[in-house]
Structure formats: structure tokens, C-alpha cells
Amino acid sequence: MNVQRFLHAVDRFSMVVGKTFAWLIVVLMLVVCGEVFKRYALNAPTAWIFDANNMLYGTLFMMGGAYTLAQAGHVRGDFFYGSMKARTQAALDLALFALFFLPGVVALTWSGWTYFNESLAMREQTFNADPLPLYPFKFVIPVAGLVLLIQGVAEMVRCVLCLKTGAWTPRLNDAQEMDVVGDQLAGSSYVDEADKREVIGKAKDIEQAAQQRNAGISQ
């Protein structure tokens, strides 16, 4: 397996994990809608609903971290970064990954595993009239940390390759918001073909520029 195949394999793994746990937003929506109906229509509120919402949202948030990193979607203050050469960006990224990312994520994974084991040993539960077990949710912490750590190692490999070649290696990109906009415009019967092509072209140009900036690709 060459390096590019390894990077794409890690990207694909992070994407599968992120997309799988993204379905929790549907579960969360159904739980909230059901609770609203029970509370206001049936006057029968559920004691554990607040804890369940927190655990569902927390799981969704944590397990989506590696996917976001794989898509270069984390917030970056790139006022100066975007104007740097690719090798300079890679050197800066590699230093920040080594100094902050690795120690932080390793500490998160290690302490999360300890946190989970302590919770499992006492069969920890939430504090309400109908308690929920807490240790399954706490198990998400080390799992999310491990998945994020794997993606972070891949990002560091990208930085090393960029330092050698002077260019960023391509990412395994997912569907973007502009793709959805293009599909909607393409299927619209209220916009003529010339306007469709113009708007879709401009949208793709904006998306490409944003992807290059987020991925650290210098023009």
C-alpha cells in the first residue's frame, strides 16, 4: 500500500464513522419531537429525556471530529496562513500537530479510557427519577479520541509529503453544500439554462477556492 492509498483509506474510515454517527441527528430529532408531544399534548413528560438528549448530541459531536478533520473543516484563523507557500503551511501544521494535537488527543483517549472503566466498575447512572446508564456514553470518549488520533496521524503524513514535494496531496472529498445547490438549480423549472450554468459555475468557483484555502493549497 503506497502512502496515498493509506491516506485515502484513513479518510474513508473517518468518513464512514462520521456518516454513520450522523444518523444520530435523526434519532435526536425524533426523541425531541416525541417528548414535545408527550409533554404538551399528553401532559406526560419524561424524566430521562434531558440526559438522553445530552448523550446523543455529545456522541454525535465527538464521533464527527475525525470526519471534520479529514475534510479540513475545522475552523482555522487563516488570515496569514492562506497566503503562505505550501511548504510553509505544512511546516506550521506539522509543528502544531506535534506540539498540541498529539499530546491533547492522546491525553483525551487515555483519560477517557480510565474515565470509562471507573464508570463501568460502579455501573454509574444519571441522577433522575428514571436513571440511564452513563458508562456506554463515557465509552464514546476514548473511541472518539482513537479515531481522531488515527486521522491526525494521517494529517501529519500529509504534512511530511508536502514538505518533500512542495504540494498538498489530494483529499478524499465528500459531497459539499454547493453540490446540493447545483442539483437543486439543475432540477428547477423557474430558472433558464443560461442562468443555471452561470450560477452553478460561480458556486463551484467559490467552493473550489474555499476547499483550497481550507486544505492549505496555495495558489
Side-chain angles (χ1 to χ4, degrees), residues 36-174:
V36 169
F37 177 77
K38 286 185 61 181
R39 181 179 295 269
Y40 295 102
L42 305 179
N43 195 27
T46 306
W48 49 262
I49 197 68
F50 180 76
D51 294 325
N53 287 344
N54 284 341
M55 287 188 279
L56 285 171
Y57 182 74
T59 301
L60 172 66
F61 179 83
M62 288 189 289
M63 296 305 296
Y67 171 85
T68 308
L69 184 59
Q71 296 296 307
H74 287 291
V75 175
R76 182 196 299 275
D78 64 350
F79 181 76
F80 297 106
Y81 182 91
S83 61
M84 295 176 182
K85 294 182 179 180
R87 278 197 173 95
T88 307
Q89 293 174 340
L92 179 60
D93 282 355
L94 187 59
L96 293 176
F97 271 112
L99 290 174
F100 298 103
F101 178 88
L102 280 182
V105 176
V106 169
L108 171 69
T109 307
W110 182 268
S111 60
W113 179 251
T114 303
Y115 199 36
F116 159 70
N117 279 305
E118 292 175 350
S119 179
L120 178 63
M122 67 178 70
R123 295 297 190 271
E124 188 177 8
Q125 296 180 330
T126 57
F127 295 96
N128 55 52
D130 297 316
L132 296 176
L134 266 174
Y135 48 89
F137 173 62
K138 291 186 177 181
F139 180 64
V140 174
I141 301 174
V143 172
L146 180 61
V147 176
L148 185 60
L149 181 62
I150 294 172
Q151 184 63 48
V153 171
E155 297 302 315
M156 295 180 73
V157 173
R158 276 194 172 92
C159 293
V160 173
L161 288 179
C162 183
L163 288 173
K164 291 181 178 180
T165 63
W168 289 101
T169 58
R171 293 180 178 274
L172 190 63
N173 288 321
D174 194 10

Side-chain angles (χ1 to χ4, degrees), residues 8-62:
H8 280 183
V10 175
D11 287 348
R12 189 174 292 108
F13 173 69
S14 296
M15 288 169 62
V16 169
V17 172
K19 288 184 175 182
T20 300
F21 281 89
W23 285 99
L24 287 180
I25 197 67
V26 178
V27 178
L28 183 60
M29 178 196 68
L30 294 175
V31 169
V32 170
C33 290
E35 174 61 16
V36 169
F37 177 77
K38 286 185 61 181
R39 181 179 295 269
Y40 295 102
L42 305 179
N43 195 27
T46 306
W48 49 262
I49 197 68
F50 180 76
D51 294 325
N53 287 344
N54 284 341
M55 287 188 279
L56 285 171
Y57 182 74
T59 301
L60 172 66
F61 179 83
M62 288 189 289

